[in-house]
């Protein structure tokens, strides 16, 4: 038989193993082609963005190069390498090992041996991350169009699903700083469609085994109705959503208060509610820092950063930092240990600042006076007449 017939036989066996899900890998060796320093080619199946591919690892004398190809393109490449270049090829399947070899005298040898592996390896391109929120058996994720009925995350919802898990990872580390059993009542201000509210409830009940009451506050009645319907279908008995504004909501006996992307002074309203409720944990991701920017623009004060803030984009960033910096100081004044760090959100708002307050010991009068002085000095430096949160708390 000419070599091409053996190649066709090898390719047929490859296709059959892929169709039967018995494929393990391919090894091509004894390279005699024109590509310098190429020694071996290893091929395995991978899944990238829910699409089957074959990953080619080209092993050179001093380095490895990995390239991913669609199945049809990969099969054509393998056939080409068998015709020109590699003198030995081994197809590993869970049923047997198939070896095609061209000897030095030009003779072609085809051998079949016992399977080296009885199980096909994982086909995922990257090692799957261990997530606190699993997509399987979560009816609320299906109802909210994150997963299908089999628990597979929709392609267009991958970013949202990662965002949900990132958010829960952050909250998990913060909750662990509190004494066990602290979180009995949670309020999510401006809960929207409830993605994160549902995930937090799920985490508290399924992972931490807490009987926490969770409430989502949302102004849009249609979102409230939708979320309450999903909560009932999910049998989340202690999760409910109410219509209203952050400003009007009566946040009593709250242990954990959350407000993500509450616009401008709505974030201040949320922090105020949390402080007044003596919440053990306050977590906010502010946006649209208009109030302080207007104060800075109105005063036109000259300071060491005026050469930057004369540009609108720099003024906007400065206003964000000053607004959140004063918020952190005010939280500290009321006995909260504060943290400010970056929160990776989603494809549309990839980065946000997260301001966190963890309830600590009440400061001495001297320390509180120092903090008030810092707030006053900051306002004077930037020409700020007032900060909305400061006014709410009557500092």
């Amino acid at each position: 038989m000419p070599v091409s017939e053996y190649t066709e036989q090898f390719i047929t066996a490859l296709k059959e193993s892929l169709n039967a899900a018995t494929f393990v890998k391919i090894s091509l060796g004894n390279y005699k082609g024109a590509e310098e320093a190429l020694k071996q080619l290893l091929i395995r199946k991978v899944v990238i963005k829910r699409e089957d591919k074959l990953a080619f690892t080209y092993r050179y004398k001093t380095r490895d190069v990995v390239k991913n190809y669609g199945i049809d393109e990969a099969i054509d490449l393998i056939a080409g390498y068998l015709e020109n270049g590699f003198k030995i090829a081994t197809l590993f399947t869970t049923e047997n090992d198939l070896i095609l070899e061209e000897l030095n005298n030009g003779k072609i040898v085809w051998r079949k041996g016992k399977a080296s592996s009885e199980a096909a390896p994982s086909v995922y391109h990257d090692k799957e991350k261990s997530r606190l929120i699993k997509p399987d058996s979560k009816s609320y994720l299906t109802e909210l169009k994150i997963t299908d009925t089999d628990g597979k995350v929709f392609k267009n919802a991958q970013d949202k699903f990662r965002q949900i898990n990132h958010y829960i990872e952050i909250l998990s580390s913060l909750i662990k700083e509190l004494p066990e059993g602290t979180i009995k009542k949670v309020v999510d201000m401006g809960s929207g469609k409830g993605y994160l509210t549902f995930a937090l409830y799920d985490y508290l009940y399924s992972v931490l085994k807490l009987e926490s009451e969770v409430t989502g506050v949302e102004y849009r009645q249609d979102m409230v109705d939708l979320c309450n319907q999903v909560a009932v279908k999910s049998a989340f008995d202690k999760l409910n959503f109410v219509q209203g504004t952050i400003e009007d909501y009566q946040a009593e006996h709250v242990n954990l208060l959350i407000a993500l992307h509450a616009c401008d002074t709505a974030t201040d309203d949320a922090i105020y509610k949390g402080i007044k409720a003596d919440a053990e944990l306050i977590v906010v991701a502010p946006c649209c820092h208009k109030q302080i920017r207007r104060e800075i623009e109105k005063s036109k004060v000259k300071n060491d950063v005026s050469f930057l803030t004369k540009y609108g984009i720099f003024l906007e960033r400065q206003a964000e930092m000053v607004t959140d910096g004063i918020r952190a100081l005010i939280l500290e004044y009321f006995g909260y240990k504060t943290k400010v760090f970056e929160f990776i959100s989603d494809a549309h708002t990839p980065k946000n600042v997260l301001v966190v307050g963890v309830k600590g010991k009440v400061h001495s009068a001297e320390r509180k006076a120092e903090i008030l002085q810092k707030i006053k000095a900051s306002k004077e430096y930037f020409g700020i007449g007032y900060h909305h949160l400061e006014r709410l708390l009557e500092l």
Side-chain angles (χ1 to χ4, degrees):
M1 267 193 251
V3 174
S4 59
E5 293 184 30
Y6 281 103
T7 297
E8 184 178 350
Q9 192 174 352
F10 187 93
I11 294 300
T12 298
L14 167 60
K15 290 179 179 178
E16 289 175 351
S17 70
L18 288 169
N19 290 333
T22 61
F23 176 82
V24 176
K25 65 180 178 180
I26 290 176
S27 174
L28 303 182
N30 194 15
Y31 183 71
K32 302 297 183 182
E35 193 166 349
E36 188 177 354
L38 181 60
K39 310 290 287 185
Q40 187 182 22
L41 175 57
L42 300 177
I43 302 165
R44 65 187 181 92
K45 186 180 177 182
V46 296
V47 174
I48 302 174
K49 295 183 178 179
R50 302 179 74 175
E51 182 180 349
D52 290 342
K53 293 181 180 292
L54 291 180
F56 285 40
T57 301
Y58 296 86
R59 289 195 164 172
Y60 295 87
K61 188 174 182 179
T62 59
R63 73 189 194 282
D64 290 351
V65 176
V66 178
K67 295 183 179 180
N68 302 311
Y69 301 101
I71 299 297
D72 292 339
E73 182 182 6
I75 289 174
D76 289 341
L77 287 171
I78 292 167
Y81 284 129
L82 291 176
E83 292 289 323
N84 299 286
F86 291 99
K87 299 303 180 181
I88 184 168
T90 305
L91 169 62
F92 298 87
T93 76
T94 59
E95 297 178 339
N96 47 51
D97 293 350
L98 303 174
I99 304 169
L100 177 63
E101 182 176 8
E102 181 181 354
L103 304 179
N104 290 334
N105 61 8
K107 183 180 179 181
I108 305 300
V109 178
W110 176 263
R111 300 192 302 275
K112 180 183 292 186
K114 184 179 178 181
S116 300
S117 175
E118 296 181 356
S122 171
V123 296
Y124 289 95
H125 181 63
D126 296 314
K127 184 177 180 181
E128 290 191 77
K129 186 175 180 181
S130 176
R131 299 188 184 277
L132 294 174
I133 300 299
K134 309 291 185 182
D136 55 307
S137 303
K138 306 290 186 185
S139 63
Y140 69 89
L141 291 176
T142 303
E143 293 288 341
L144 296 174
K145 312 301 182 186
I146 298 294
T147 64
D148 61 19
T149 53
D150 294 325
K152 293 181 180 179
V153 180
F154 290 119
K155 187 175 181 180
N156 63 357
Q158 293 286 342
D159 287 338
K160 177 61 70 174
F161 185 63
R162 281 193 291 270
Q163 178 200 15
I164 289 169
N165 269 282
H166 183 57
Y167 163 82
I168 297 301
E169 287 167 11
I170 291 173
L171 282 179
S172 172
S173 63
L174 295 171
I175 290 170
K176 287 176 181 177
E177 294 183 27
L178 303 175
E180 188 175 348
T182 295
I183 305 300
K184 297 177 181 178
K185 185 173 181 179
V186 180
V187 174
D188 184 359
M189 301 284 200
S191 53
K193 199 173 180 181
Y195 298 109
L196 306 181
T197 325
F198 278 98
L200 177 57
Y201 183 92
D202 183 18
Y203 172 70
L204 292 172
Y205 270 74
S206 302
V207 180
L208 297 186
K209 310 299 181 184
L210 296 177
E211 295 287 326
S212 305
E213 177 188 334
V214 179
T215 299
V217 180
E218 171 57 41
Y219 183 71
R220 293 166 294 179
Q221 186 66 55
D222 59 333
M223 291 290 99
V224 173
D225 294 340
L226 170 66
C227 290
N228 278 324
Q229 290 168 12
V230 175
V232 171
K233 289 181 181 180
S234 304
F236 286 176
D237 298 334
K238 291 193 174 183
L239 171 63
N240 75 301
F241 294 82
V242 298
Q243 191 280 330
T245 64
I246 296 174
E247 182 180 7
D248 293 335
Y249 182 76
Q250 299 301 311
E252 297 176 352
H253 311 297
V254 174
N255 307 113
L256 168 56
L257 185 139
I258 305 161
L260 303 186
H261 309 136
C263 187
D264 196 20
T265 56
T267 293
D268 296 314
D269 293 332
I271 295 173
Y272 168 74
K273 296 289 184 179
I275 290 173
K276 284 299 184 180
D278 204 29
E280 281 81 4
L281 181 59
I282 299 173
V283 181
V284 297
C287 71
C288 308
H289 303 65
K290 297 176 182 178
Q291 187 254 319
I292 292 300
R293 175 169 179 162
R294 286 193 294 266
E295 289 289 303
I296 294 174
E297 288 176 324
K298 182 172 62 175
S299 67
K300 295 183 174 56
V301 69
K302 298 296 181 181
N303 55 36
D304 293 339
V305 296
S306 294
F307 76 101
L308 292 174
T309 54
K310 68 178 181 179
Y311 302 107
I313 183 65
F314 290 150
L315 174 59
E316 180 179 347
R317 292 176 182 175
Q318 186 70 72
E320 290 175 4
M321 289 189 288
V322 173
T323 303
D324 293 335
I326 294 177
R327 284 168 174 160
L329 282 172
I330 292 172
L331 280 165
E332 188 178 347
Y333 176 87
F334 285 95
Y336 286 86
K337 293 182 292 183
T338 56
K339 302 178 183 182
V340 179
F341 53 89
E342 194 172 68
F343 167 54
I344 307 303
S345 183
D346 58 24
H348 304 291
T349 52
K351 294 181 181 179
N352 298 99
V353 167
L354 205 64
V355 180
V356 174
V358 181
K359 190 66 176 177
K361 295 180 180 179
V362 177
H363 291 305
S364 65
E366 182 179 2
R367 175 60 184 146
K368 293 178 80 170
E370 289 176 2
I371 295 170
L372 286 178
Q373 181 56 40
K374 282 184 182 180
I375 295 171
K376 180 181 178 182
S378 299
K379 288 162 54 186
E380 289 177 352
Y381 185 79
F382 289 102
I384 298 167
Y386 77 99
H387 188 294
H388 186 69
L389 180 56
E390 172 193 38
R391 180 172 286 182
L392 289 172
L393 291 163
E394 300 179 348
L395 292 181

